[in-house]
Every structure is written in structure tokens, then in C-alpha cells.
Amino acid sequence: MGGLWALEPATEAKHRLYKRYLDAWWPIMLQRAHVSRVTYVDAFAGPGEYVDGQEGSPIFALDRLLSHVARPRMNLTRQRVTLIFIEENQKRRDHLEALLEKRFGALDELPVTVRVEKGRAERDTLPLLDETNAWGSPILAVFDSWGNVGVPWVDLRKIASNPSSENIVTFGPNWFSRRENQEPEKLDLIFGGPQYWQPSNDDLTSTDRWREWLETYRGALKRAGHEYALTFQVMPRTGQPLYLVYGTGHPSGVKAFKDAMWKVDVSDGMRFNDPRTTAGKQAAMADLQPSLFDAPDDVPDPELLGFVDDLMDKPGTSVQDVCDFLIRETSRWRETDARPAIRHLLEEGRIARNPAKGHLTSTTRLRRVT
Ligand SMILES: C[S@@+](CC[C@H](N)C(=O)[O-])C[C@H]1O[C@@H](n2cnc3c(N)ncnc32)[C@H](O)[C@@H]1O
């Protein structure tokens, strides 16, 4: 089809992350016998491929399900599993449908239900979830527009308040800053009302302005009902970055998402940053690490050490407090990262523990050595 476009490096990087996450998400949801139905909705589906033949998100989402090693244990039926692909553009929708049939066979004969819908994400996502009886069971909703957030906060709220349901929203750089002057009513829709956002401060650098917008968006996702919300800056080696926000109600979702990020191949220099913290924290904590030449391989990352060090500001911080903070407030670090960082700071004599001896348990108290 004419009208396909080239796969941007940031999109390619984001696809690596989605694939890894889907490899975890499908079996987590479908291997639970009590889950009667699971719905995946890609609300800005696209035509299914890029100009050089790389797969678009609907194709790999279905492929990761049908060719999953755990497929025999996932009890796939048309009634139990539904994938909804929404695309506004008729030609792209037709292209996607034809491509899905070419790749996987007639859609009405697949072991799961696949619906390719011409529609608008912001208008049709909730009615389609109504129509397919998705509510009451897990939903993963991906809102992957073209640098345009485009998802009403009330839609995110409805999905977030559904059991075991998650939202992923992506956007391009400068989206919020552009809208604040040109279309403030769009921001009202996206944040849930004018009281939930404020124009950015002109004195801030563009990076800091971005951090503030992302933090506001992360707040909106939490207000929508997600207990956990992670923000990522997807940084390809070349080209524009892309921002991604993931909301879930479950620590197991957080773990699966962070694990996916750690497993993604980044050998080409691509990175996932926590835009709220990475730059500042790494710079501030550089002195906590020996120089590159002296550094043994197992020295924890300065950002991680920086977080643990910050937590020492609060008297009585326990090992469990460190674990909880890493899970909840950082996009990168997991519970398993807490103890190596704590041990490193103990060995360096920067922090002390109570009790002073024995295993490091979740209730062991920590304090900074001044
Ligand atoms: C960034 S592309 C999607 C890429 C795709 N998710 C992937 O990762 O391969 C955005 C797509 O959304 C479509 N689109 C734009 N506005 C839309 C809307 N309001 N509702 C649904 N689709 C829309 C565009 O035609 C385009 O194909």
C-alpha cells in the first residue's frame, strides 16, 4: 500500500519493549483458570506494517500470543480472548485486515476473536469494550497515537477501575507545551479538568518542563485509579525520543514491565530512562562510585545508590521501605535491586544498620553515617 511510513528508531525501540511485555502479559492473564475473559485493545492500530516490511503492533501482539511457548496452557478460545484494533483511516484499516488474514488466516477461524474496527480511539474504545463484554475481566489498553495523547482521562479512569486492567499511553516530545497555548481544552480532557494542570513555567529548561508535564500525566494516571504509574523516555541512538506511561494496579504488572525493560536488547545504544530522575540523580551520585577505571563490575548504578541514599533522610527507614520505594516510585529499579545497593553503601561505610549484625531482613533499620 502507498501510505506506509518508515519505522522510526523510537517506535522500533518501543516495539521491543511491548513484545517483551506481551510475552509476560499473555500467560500471566491467561494461565489463571478463574479469568473468564481477557481483552487487548490497540486504539491507534496503524496499518500493521512499515514501509520496509517491519511488523506493526497489531501483528506482533497477535503473533506473540499465537506462537507463545505457553500457548497449550493458555486455554485460548474465541469467547475468552479478544483483540480489538481501532484505526481511523479506512485504507490503513483495510490494509491491516488484509495483512492479518494473509499472515494468520481467516479471522473468523482463529482460536481467538480479532476485531479490526474503523473508528476513533477517543470515541469508540469504551463502546467497543461494552460491546465485547470486556468489563469485569482484565483489559490491556494501548494508546499509541502519533505524538498526540488523545485519550480522555475518563476513559483511562474507566479502564483503571476495571479488575487487573492496565493502560499504556505514548506521546512525542513537546506535545503538552504546544497544546497549553493552542488547545488548552484538550489538556482539560486529558488531565480530567482545568484544575489538574497549569501552564509551564517559562524559566524552566525544556527538559525540566517535560519532566513536569510527565509528572502531571503520571499523577493523572494515578488519579484515574492506577496504584502504580511508570514513566519512560525511550531514547533511540538516533532520532527523536518518545515518552511512554504505563499504569497498573498490581505489583506483578510493575515487575513484569520492569523485567521487560531489562531484557530488551539495548546493544545498539538505545536506552529507557526514567525522565523524572535519571539525569539529575546520576550526576548527583557520581561521587558515590569509584572512577570508571577502579569500578568493579558489581558496583550498583549511581542512580540506584542515589535513591537509597536519599531515603536515609528519613529516620527509621527500613529495608522494606527501600524496596517499596523502588517498586512504586522508580521506572527502572526492582525489589531485587534494593539489597545489593544497601550492602554496597554499608560496605562503603556510608550507611549503618540496626541491628548491626545478622541477616538483612525487611525490618532492618538503616541510617546515614554522618
Ligand atoms: C503511531 S500510528 C500507530 C502505530 C502502531 N500502533 C504501531 O505501533 O505499529 C497511529 C495510527 O493511528 C491512526 N489514528 C490517528 N488518529 C486516530 C484516532 N483518533 N483514532 C484511531 N486511530 C487514529 C493513524 O491513522 C495511524 O495509523
Side-chain angles (χ1 to χ4, degrees), residues 15 43-46 50 56-57 87-88 92 119-122 144 146:
H15 284 177
F44 295 83
Y50 291 82
S57 54
E87 169 56 53
E88 165 187 59
R92 292 184 190 139
R120 292 187 64 81
E122 63 279 28
D144 196 9
W146 252 326

Side-chain angles (χ1 to χ4, degrees), residues 126 135 141 143 151-169 188-193 196 215-229 245-249:
L126 296 191
W135 304 112
F143 296 98
V151 200
W153 178 79
V154 290
D155 289 17
L156 298 179
R157 185 181 58 180
K158 176 105 199 242
I159 293 166
S161 62
N162 194 56
S164 302
S165 296
E166 304 184 339
N167 285 295
I168 298 178
V169 186
D188 298 348
L189 198 74
I190 272 147
F191 289 121
Y196 296 117
E215 198 52 16
T216 309
Y217 198 71
R218 180 169 175 264
L221 227 63
K222 290 182 118 176
R223 217 170 353 97
H226 284 307
E227 183 152 4
Y228 304 92
V245 184
Y246 162 78
T248 184

Side-chain angles (χ1 to χ4, degrees), residues 182-251:
Q182 293 164 9
E183 298 174 280
E185 64 292 346
K186 269 212 163 167
L187 294 186
D188 298 348
L189 198 74
I190 272 147
F191 289 121
Q195 67 276 37
Y196 296 117
W197 66 276
Q198 52 189 19
S200 44
N201 179 345
D202 285 343
D203 296 338
L204 293 178
T205 63
S206 63
T207 311
D208 285 340
R209 214 174 291 167
W210 248 99
R211 279 211 198 112
E212 280 203 357
W213 282 118
L214 273 178
E215 198 52 16
T216 309
Y217 198 71
R218 180 169 175 264
L221 227 63
K222 290 182 118 176
R223 217 170 353 97
H226 284 307
E227 183 152 4
Y228 304 92
L230 311 180
T231 54
F232 295 93
Q233 183 187 37
V234 183
M235 281 294 294
R237 198 171 50 79
T238 58
Q240 292 273 33
L242 184 124
Y243 297 87
L244 187 152
V245 184
Y246 162 78
T248 184
H250 285 268

Side-chain angles (χ1 to χ4, degrees), residues 5 7 11 14-15 18 42-50 55-58 60 86-89 92 119-123 142 144-148 150 170:
W5 60 92
L7 180 64
T11 308
K14 176 187 69 184
H15 284 177
Y18 284 177
D42 186 345
F44 295 83
E49 66 177 330
Y50 291 82
E55 293 174 349
S57 54
F60 67 67
I86 307 172
E87 169 56 53
E88 165 187 59
N89 179 293
R92 292 184 190 139
R120 292 187 64 81
E122 63 279 28
R123 185 193 62 204
V142 180
D144 196 9
S145 61
W146 252 326
N148 172 351
T170 64

